[in-house]
Amino acid sequence: MRVKRYVVDSMPDALQKIRTDLGNDAVIINTKEIRSGGFLGMFSKKKIEVIAATDTAIPAGGAMTSNAATTGAIPKPELNVVPAAPMRFGTAAYGAQRERREQPPLSFPEVPDVLPVTGQAAAAAAQPAGATMVKPREELLMDEIRQMKEMMLKLTRQGTVQEAVNPVLKELEARLLRQELDPLLVEELLMNVSKEAEAEGAELTEEWASSSLKRQLEAMLCSSKNKSIAADTRIAHFVGPTGVGKTTTIAKLAAEQVLKHHRKVGFITSDTYRIAAVEQLKTYATILNVPLEVVFSPLDLNRAFEQLRDCDLIFMDTAGRNFRNEMYVSELNALLKSNGKSETYLVLSMTTKYKDMQAITHNFCKFKLDKVLFTKMDETDSYGSVVNLIREFGLQTSYIANGQSVPDDIQELNEHQLIDLILEAGKS
């Protein structure tokens, strides 16, 4: 018996080589995926290892013995060689197990020319019993394209050294990932750094690369739109999940409007689910000497607006619920009625995992959402979720809260300061 091992890119390549080397009587004993090539163990390509054998000594040209060529019968294998779950090669029943030795020889049709194999049906037909699943040609091609894309993203301006080897880019990548920026965004940013360096013929130093990253992040985050509550806004709605600090944030902004802008302010709360929530806002209302109305359903809103008709600005505090559930968002949307110009602020905590932020924002974006406000900046050293959220949803930023003191610990979000924190605080 002749046994040969082939390492190929796809099964059609293997079939052609086996047919040429071993002839039509060859059987495939085993197939499995392996990885080969690459640089320092990275970016290796997927290959397929195929073990094939034939029961008779066949010339190198792939010619069969005269008996096999004449009758098309399968030569009887040697008694001491029984391949494990072998496959008949070149037939429509390519995936079936080979017949037991005691059965009579079967007719063996001529093997057709090997054509490109496409589709899941062709992959299933080429799958032997007990063998490792072999991907269709299209999937193998897409895998190679993805690997090539990853490799291109990690080439330096010379095109011969990977960015991961460059200590400057490697450190910047680690720094951005520690700040929990999206890995795909990190790759895009660093690729642009390399392109800029190549275009300008600049040396890729840490200072130059950091400056390039700052420019990119500023272009992504900075906006000329007004972050604060507009002067002609009549109602400011504050929505968001539980525990993000909506009530405290409202108190801070209300104090700013009363003390700094001298506007007459009123409160409406629909947070009747949380124990002492109404009492908390009532305490702030007493301190600021502003009226407070409690609503239990959308039907109570008109009454509340009528009671606060003399106010210049009304802050509406909504109940914190599990807003990953779209049903709760729909219920809340019924409360966001306007009696004049309004703004809706989505309040999110910077200590929340980005995956949860993403789900919450996705549900709220189906309704009216004007700005996003971040809280608890003082409770985290990771700021990348802000960049991810703004980039993915295109939200307009507003305020950022960095403590519990009323009214001091709140300010308009400063993108330049945030970028410096991302690049500097990420240092190890």
Side-chain angles (χ1 to χ4, degrees):
M1 170 176 281
R2 293 184 62 199
V3 179
K4 290 195 69 174
R5 173 179 177 268
Y6 298 89
V7 178
V8 293
D9 293 324
S10 64
M11 281 303 297
D13 295 338
L15 300 181
Q16 185 68 63
K17 290 183 179 181
I18 295 170
R19 177 174 176 271
T20 301
D21 293 349
L22 302 180
N24 297 340
D25 291 334
V27 294
I28 294 179
I29 298 175
N30 188 36
T31 64
K32 68 177 180 179
E33 286 188 1
I34 61 173
R35 304 190 75 91
S36 65
F39 179 73
L40 298 179
M42 297 182 291
F43 306 111
S44 58
K45 289 187 176 182
K46 290 183 179 179
K47 299 281 188 178
I48 302 174
E49 180 189 77
V50 181
I51 306 298
T54 183
D55 297 325
T56 58
I58 299 175
M64 298 183 293
T65 61
S66 58
N67 181 53
T70 303
T71 65
I74 303 175
K76 191 173 182 180
E78 296 295 331
L79 293 177
N80 60 342
V81 180
V82 181
M87 302 168 289
R88 188 167 306 285
F89 175 71
T91 68
Y94 177 64
Q97 293 186 351
R98 192 177 179 183
E99 296 86 346
R100 297 183 180 274
R101 288 174 42 78
E102 60 269 14
Q103 293 180 346
L106 300 178
S107 175
F108 190 78
E110 179 66 23
V111 178
D113 291 336
V114 178
L115 299 176
V117 180
T118 59
Q120 294 182 351
Q127 176 60 32
T132 305
M133 176 63 74
V134 178
K135 293 185 178 180
R137 189 177 185 85
E138 291 89 343
E139 292 189 24
L140 292 171
L141 181 60
M142 291 304 299
D143 286 344
E144 291 183 4
I145 292 174
R146 281 193 291 268
Q147 291 170 14
M148 290 175 63
K149 182 179 179 181
E150 291 174 1
M151 184 177 295
M152 291 302 296
L153 287 172
K154 295 193 174 182
L155 291 179
T156 61
R157 55 191 171 97
Q158 292 83 9
T160 56
V161 183
Q162 299 175 8
E163 283 185 354
V165 177
N166 186 301
V168 172
L169 294 178
K170 185 176 181 180
E171 169 58 28
L172 286 174
E173 179 183 29
R175 191 181 304 175
L176 294 174
L177 291 176
R178 283 196 297 270
Q179 285 294 305
E180 298 184 8
L181 267 74
D182 184 352
L184 292 179
L185 174 59
V186 172
E187 286 189 2
E188 180 182 332
L189 293 171
L190 295 180
M191 181 183 69
N192 291 336
V193 170
S194 295
K195 287 182 178 179
E196 287 184 16
E198 181 180 4
E200 299 181 14
E203 182 181 356
L204 204 55
T205 62
E206 181 178 359
E207 181 180 359
W208 194 96
S210 296
S211 178
S212 175
L213 285 175
K214 283 184 180 180
R215 289 194 298 271
Q216 294 183 64
L217 291 172
E218 285 171 357
M220 186 183 306
L221 300 179
C222 293
S223 172
S224 59
K225 295 181 180 179
N226 183 32
K227 295 185 179 68
S228 61
I229 299 174
D232 58 345
T233 295
R234 178 87 168 42
I235 304 171
H237 303 103
F238 291 82
V239 300
T242 60
V244 296
K246 291 189 298 297
T247 303
T248 303
T249 299
I250 287 174
K252 294 175 183 178
L253 294 176
E256 178 191 46
Q257 293 294 319
V258 170
L259 302 176
K260 183 177 179 180
H261 300 287
H262 308 290
R263 299 180 71 181
K264 189 173 182 181
V265 171
F267 289 154
I268 295 178
T269 181
S270 63
D271 190 1
T272 56
Y273 295 94
R274 186 166 56 92
I275 296 176
V278 174
E279 294 300 322
Q280 181 184 3
L281 192 59
K282 185 181 293 185
T283 300
Y284 289 130
T286 302
I287 294 173
L288 295 173
N289 192 27
V290 300
L292 168 67
E293 294 293 326
V294 180
V295 297
F296 295 90
S297 73
L299 299 176
D300 298 330
L301 280 175
N302 290 332
R303 174 190 57 77
F305 288 142
E306 178 64 24
Q307 293 293 325
L308 301 176
R309 62 183 180 274
D310 296 331
C311 295
D312 301 320
L313 177 62
I314 298 172
F315 288 89
M316 183 168 181
D317 187 16
T318 60
R321 303 284 295 277
N322 176 20
F323 290 116
R324 289 176 58 91
N325 189 325
E326 187 175 353
M327 181 185 69
Y328 292 144
V329 181
S330 301
E331 291 177 357
L332 174 64
N333 190 53
L335 289 169
L336 303 183
K337 293 182 179 180
S338 299
N339 190 5
K341 181 183 176 181
S342 67
E343 291 182 343
T344 301
Y345 289 78
L346 174 61
V347 183
L348 295 172
S349 169
M350 293 185 65
T351 60
T352 304
K353 294 184 298 184
Y354 179 66
K355 184 177 180 181
D356 294 330
M357 279 190 187
Q358 194 178 34
I360 294 165
T361 307
H362 180 266
N363 284 341
F364 272 107
C365 280
K366 298 175 183 177
F367 305 99
K368 183 178 181 294
L369 190 63
D370 298 293
K371 298 176 182 177
V372 60
L373 187 155
F374 295 98
T375 63
K376 303 186 180 183
M377 182 181 179
D378 57 315
E379 297 182 21
T380 182
D381 291 324
S382 174
Y383 314 105
S385 56
V386 177
V387 179
N388 296 337
L389 199 75
I390 294 172
R391 179 175 182 266
E392 181 172 354
F393 294 95
L395 296 175
Q396 169 63 37
T397 57
S398 58
Y399 298 92
I400 189 163
N402 57 356
Q404 294 180 315
S405 297
V406 179
D408 299 324
D409 293 337
I410 194 168
Q411 61 184 9
E412 292 183 17
L413 189 145
N414 186 322
E415 293 89 351
H416 302 284
Q417 182 183 30
L418 179 68
I419 291 169
D420 288 339
L421 288 171
I422 289 174
L423 295 178
E424 298 298 327
K427 289 184 179 180
S428 56

